[in-house]
Amino acid sequence: MTTADASWPMGGADDEPRGPVGKAFRLSAADSLSLGNALCGFLAVCVLAWSAITSLQQTGTFSANPQFFGTAVVLLLLGATCDLFDGLVARRFRASAMGAELDNLADVISFGFAPAFMVVIWAGFNERVPFLLVMAAAASVLLGGVVRLARFACVKTKSGDFMGLPIPMGAMTVIAIVLLFEPSVWAVLPIFGIAYLMVSRIEYPKPKGNLAAVVLAWMMVNVACLTIWAAGLAGGDTLIKVGATMQITIVAAIPLRILMFKREQRKERKEAERVG
């Protein structure tokens, strides 16, 4: 065996890693929040799977207890809170070399795979809804989220806003549909619309300053409402319905408002051109 052959398993000199490898393995405070986000998404999937499997063993039906949906959603909201703060912490203190990649990977788990899995558990084993339709809706959420994150990593808007519905907001809207409606074809179809909004070119405002505080407050209110509902306390059903309805309304109203605003801008430009 030649010297080159003997050294093949170790790789050639050109294959050696370049750049600040040591720094790449140092986790920052922001990375810890990203890992917390990923962990919350994983635990949400585990909670739903455990509930559905337990139900299958005890009753012969594969369906998660509604209260466990509340637990899973609380976990995803906690993950969303981690996702909101990791960027702020990274800008305030220090970001590692792999911070952006960790953030995107965590988002895929918590806001891509977890809500897609929730859709399958919610409607996938219901006789009123074709299984293939449910799988297509769940896949659209996952794939739309993946494309959304990939585009976010390489495309920046001139305004600095998000192009397409942010994946955490998309996930929360899917969850709102799951919590608000019984499984049916008409309840599944809007999920495709949410997936479309994530990959659309509609610009959504980025939470900054007061808006970030409003988003955080909205998350905390949702966590409180879900906790009350999951605990079976009085008024919990009403709170969850109001919160889910507001979430769907906000997501539907933002693109309509933006489209109306752009239409008004086009009219103003045409009028200015005529006057000029």
Side-chain angles (χ1 to χ4, degrees):
M1 181 179 290
T2 65
T3 303
D5 292 335
S7 65
W8 175 79
M10 300 299 293
D14 292 338
D15 295 331
E16 292 181 359
R18 301 178 184 274
V21 177
K23 292 182 179 180
F25 286 97
R26 298 175 187 172
L27 292 176
S28 65
D31 294 337
S32 300
L33 289 172
S34 296
L35 292 176
N37 178 17
L39 181 61
C40 287
F42 169 73
L43 292 176
V45 171
C46 289
V47 165
L48 289 175
W50 181 84
S51 178
I53 292 171
T54 301
S55 175
L56 180 63
Q57 292 173 338
Q58 295 177 351
T59 66
T61 58
F62 190 79
S63 60
N65 187 314
Q67 306 304 321
F68 283 91
F69 273 101
T71 303
V73 177
V74 168
L75 286 167
L76 292 183
L77 284 170
L78 292 176
T81 304
C82 290
D83 183 58
L84 179 65
F85 276 108
D86 62 2
L88 299 175
V89 172
R91 288 188 291 271
R92 178 65 178 83
F93 297 100
R94 178 179 61 87
S96 73
M98 56 182 176
E101 285 73 15
L102 277 178
D103 185 30
N104 281 345
L105 290 171
D107 285 351
V108 168
I109 296 171
S110 293
F111 311 125
F113 178 71
F117 184 78
M118 187 176 292
V119 169
V120 174
I121 296 295
W122 167 63
F125 303 91
N126 190 291
E127 295 179 353
R128 293 178 294 175
V129 188
F131 181 73
L132 289 178
L133 179 65
V134 176
M135 291 300 295
S140 72
V141 171
L142 176 61
L143 297 179
V146 170
V147 172
R148 169 72 182 78
L149 290 171
R151 188 175 65 184
F152 173 74
C154 57
V155 177
K156 303 299 180 184
T157 60
K158 293 181 180 179
S159 63
D161 292 333
F162 294 118
M163 181 182 290
L165 179 66
I167 186 172
M169 185 69 76
M172 292 303 118
T173 310
V174 170
I175 291 167
I177 291 174
V178 170
L179 295 177
L180 192 59
F181 301 106
E182 292 292 326
S184 69
V185 172
W186 296 110
V188 171
L189 290 178
I191 294 175
F192 290 100
I194 297 168
Y196 166 75
L197 288 176
M198 285 194 286
V199 299
S200 70
R201 295 187 179 184
I202 298 173
E203 294 185 9
Y204 285 77
K206 182 176 291 187
K208 298 177 183 178
N210 292 335
L211 182 58
V214 171
V215 171
L216 179 61
W218 173 249
M219 290 179 180
M220 294 300 99
V221 170
N222 280 338
V223 168
C225 293
L226 285 163
T227 302
I228 293 172
W229 176 70
L233 300 178
D237 289 340
T238 301
L239 286 174
I240 202 68
K241 289 178 181 179
V242 171
T245 302
M246 289 180 63
Q247 175 68 31
I248 295 171
T249 302
I250 290 171
V251 169
I254 290 175
L256 290 176
R257 179 66 188 93
I258 292 173
L259 290 173
M260 291 175 63
F261 177 72
K262 289 186 175 180
R263 185 178 179 182
E264 291 173 359
Q265 283 186 323
R266 286 195 296 268
K267 287 183 177 179
E268 289 177 359
R269 283 198 299 268
K270 290 181 179 179
E271 291 178 358
E273 290 174 358
R274 291 176 182 176
V275 173

